[in-house]
Amino acid sequence: MPEIIKTLLVILPVVLAGIAHSVAIRADLFPWAAQRLDLGLRFFGEPLFGENKTWRGVLIMSGMTSVCAWLLSFVLQSEHLPSGFAQLAEPVPALLFGLLIGLGYSLGELPNSFVKRRLRVHPGSRPGGPGSLLFYFIDQTDSVAGIILFVWAVYGPPVQVLFELFAVGSLVHIAFDMLLYLFEVKKMQWRARDVSPGLICVCQTITYWACRLVMRLYPRYLVRREETTEIAQQGGKYIIAANHVRALDPFLASVALPWSRFKMLLPVRYMTHDGYIERTWQKLLMFPLGCFPAHKDGNKGGLELALGLLERGQTIFIFPEGRRVKGGSTDQLGLNTAGVGVAYLAARTGAKVLPVNIEWLDAEQRRAEGIGVVLHVGLELAVDGSEPDLQPVADGVLHRIYSLRNHPGPLVLPTTQGGNA
């Protein structure tokens, strides 16, 4: 039997106990035991371990590992186990071993929790910045280290076996942790403002050229741009404002800009409806693409976060209408009143607005013209934020977006070979 399989058999009781503990948390089983392990005690004003370390966790982990190890002892033989663990093939020693590693798992997390409370890190979260990955690694290996310490102190197996147990146990714990997030057993504390700008730039560059490739292979898109100069300087403050009809609009509005301009706007942060980025898998997909919630990100509102991003030189993409509006023309502007967000951001930061109009043609137009979408890109707008009432300013931006259809600029085909197309 491969050594890695033997090592997995040793930690299998912990994995099964971890699943049971997750089910107990999800279903709120044994609420009487869900009391804080630190009994509410504080050290220098902060809790000893925090609210996530409970007696329920210790009882379930130690009890279930004991039971699982005891049951496995009836089907395992000594040759199925690594050197130094032959006792797991016997019921009573296996029961005690399960109790030992269950306690090691639970108690091994406490020093890390103690340190994080001193750093004022909220339970279930990690510090942002460069140290985030280090803290995640410690979070996933502290309990495994507790198991190794207890096993080494009581049984003294070979060092190589302990190393293999630590490596395999840590990898299994990380994989299991990811599954807990994906199935929403644990809530991801990853915030949009913590995403690395470098990661967003890479993902948006790949997405930009992937969309351009699709436009070349499926040439049913036209781009019309007003005569415009290049962005004066990299690092300026810009807001891309567009109308919103379909889910593809953010991608289309982005690739309507020539690469020479788009790359100077990176990273672009897309203000997104909270419902599209509330689940873990949505965050993992949308955050690297630059999305952030329109209403709340942790303890910050969407506009407050957008202001901070603009001040750091990141571009904000916003739909002034705040929702999808089918059709739309200058005659309908009375119905499509803009939210003041775009005017507020521009007035507070001095950012320029890049208006983009996405015109989805109806079936008759598609048949007649052979295209499905026309992208209109306008000149940069300098917003006057001196007026106390920003609603007319926001309505003016929206009017400019829709009026681009009536004053189209020169045509640019997506299949053009030039780098600025």
Side-chain angles (χ1 to χ4, degrees):
M1 181 181 293
E3 289 299 321
I4 189 172
I5 300 299
K6 294 181 179 180
T7 305
L8 285 172
L9 289 174
V10 174
I11 63 174
L12 182 58
V14 180
V15 175
L16 297 176
I19 295 174
H21 185 217
S22 300
V23 171
I25 294 175
R26 184 75 170 179
D28 194 23
L29 302 177
F30 315 116
W32 54 269
Q35 306 299 319
R36 290 170 53 158
L37 199 60
D38 60 15
L39 302 178
L41 297 177
R42 291 180 172 268
F43 185 75
F44 286 100
E46 295 295 327
L48 283 181
F49 307 123
E51 59 190 24
N52 284 2
K53 296 297 174 281
T54 66
W55 290 101
R56 177 170 60 184
V58 176
L59 293 174
I60 291 178
M61 291 303 301
S62 57
M64 286 301 299
T65 49
S66 300
V67 173
C68 293
W70 177 73
L71 292 174
L72 285 172
S73 69
F74 292 100
V75 297
L76 294 178
Q77 299 179 4
S78 57
E79 58 267 22
H80 297 155
L81 299 163
S83 175
F85 292 96
Q87 68 275 10
L88 295 182
E90 301 178 17
V92 175
L95 184 70
L96 297 176
F97 178 84
L99 176 63
L100 180 75
I101 62 176
L103 288 173
Y105 181 97
S106 300
L107 300 181
E109 295 181 323
L110 299 185
N112 181 30
S113 297
F114 179 82
V115 171
K116 289 170 68 175
R117 298 299 84 78
R118 308 287 77 71
L119 296 176
R120 296 186 177 181
V121 178
H122 190 271
S125 63
R126 301 185 302 275
S132 180
L133 288 178
L134 175 61
F135 270 91
Y136 180 76
F137 177 78
I138 295 174
D139 283 344
Q140 302 310 308
T141 58
D142 54 3
S143 52
V144 182
I147 293 175
I148 299 300
L149 180 62
F150 275 49
V151 170
W152 171 77
V154 176
Y155 297 99
V159 175
Q160 180 181 351
V161 175
L162 290 175
F163 178 79
E164 293 173 352
L165 188 63
F166 177 80
V168 174
S170 298
L171 291 175
V172 170
H173 197 199
I174 291 173
F176 185 67
D177 184 68
M178 293 296 181
L179 290 175
L180 291 180
Y181 281 119
L182 289 176
F183 286 99
E184 302 293 326
V185 176
K186 295 173 67 174
K187 296 295 183 181
M188 178 171 281
Q189 301 295 328
W190 194 22
R191 299 170 302 183
R193 61 179 178 270
D194 295 331
V195 184
S196 166
L199 173 63
I200 295 174
C201 289
V202 170
C203 292
Q204 289 183 344
T205 298
I206 295 173
T207 304
Y208 179 93
W209 288 110
C211 291
R212 292 291 293 272
L213 177 62
V214 172
M215 293 173 74
R216 290 173 184 267
L217 297 176
Y218 185 66
R220 293 181 58 81
Y221 304 89
L222 293 180
V223 180
R224 295 185 184 274
R225 305 192 189 110
E226 292 186 340
E227 292 293 344
T228 180
T229 58
E230 294 294 328
I231 292 176
Q233 59 180 352
Q234 190 167 7
K237 300 180 179 67
Y238 292 92
I239 301 170
I240 302 174
N243 63 309
H244 194 15
V245 181
R246 300 187 184 181
L248 291 176
D249 291 344
F251 300 100
L252 294 177
S254 298
V255 298
L257 298 171
W259 172 246
S260 60
R261 301 196 74 197
F262 185 76
K263 69 180 180 181
M264 298 184 71
L265 296 173
L266 293 174
V268 179
R269 306 303 298 267
Y270 299 89
M271 184 174 281
T272 309
H273 188 281
D274 294 25
Y276 292 119
I277 46 179
E278 62 181 358
R279 296 187 176 277
T280 298
W281 68 268
Q282 293 171 321
K283 292 179 180 179
L284 293 173
L285 176 65
M286 305 293 279
F287 278 6
L289 292 176
C291 298
F292 69 95
H295 294 99
K296 194 170 183 61
D297 182 51
N299 59 352
K300 285 194 173 184
L303 286 178
E304 182 185 1
L305 175 58
L307 282 174
L309 297 174
L310 277 170
E311 293 295 346
R312 294 201 292 270
Q314 302 183 33
T315 302
I316 297 298
F317 186 107
I318 188 171
F319 295 114
E321 293 162 294
R323 66 192 188 283
R324 296 186 192 180
V325 179
K326 299 296 183 181
S329 68
T330 52
D331 297 333
Q332 296 176 315
L333 289 179
L335 300 176
N336 302 346
T337 302
V340 298
V342 61
Y344 173 79
L345 294 175
R348 287 286 301 273
T349 64
K352 294 183 178 179
V353 178
L354 298 175
V356 179
N357 183 276
I358 302 138
E359 182 180 8
W360 291 85
L361 305 184
D362 57 32
E364 183 177 346
Q365 290 174 309
R366 289 197 299 269
R367 287 192 297 268
E369 302 189 29
I371 58 175
V373 183
V374 181
L375 308 173
H376 306 272
V377 183
L379 293 169
E380 299 171 4
L381 303 176
V383 173
D384 180 11
S386 59
E387 296 294 330
D389 184 6
L390 293 176
Q391 187 62 60
V393 178
D395 290 339
V397 172
L398 185 61
H399 184 279
R400 180 66 185 126
I401 291 172
Y402 278 107
S403 67
L404 290 174
R405 300 184 187 182
N406 302 327
H407 304 283
L411 177 66
V412 179
L413 295 176
T415 53
T416 304
Q417 297 299 319
N420 292 338

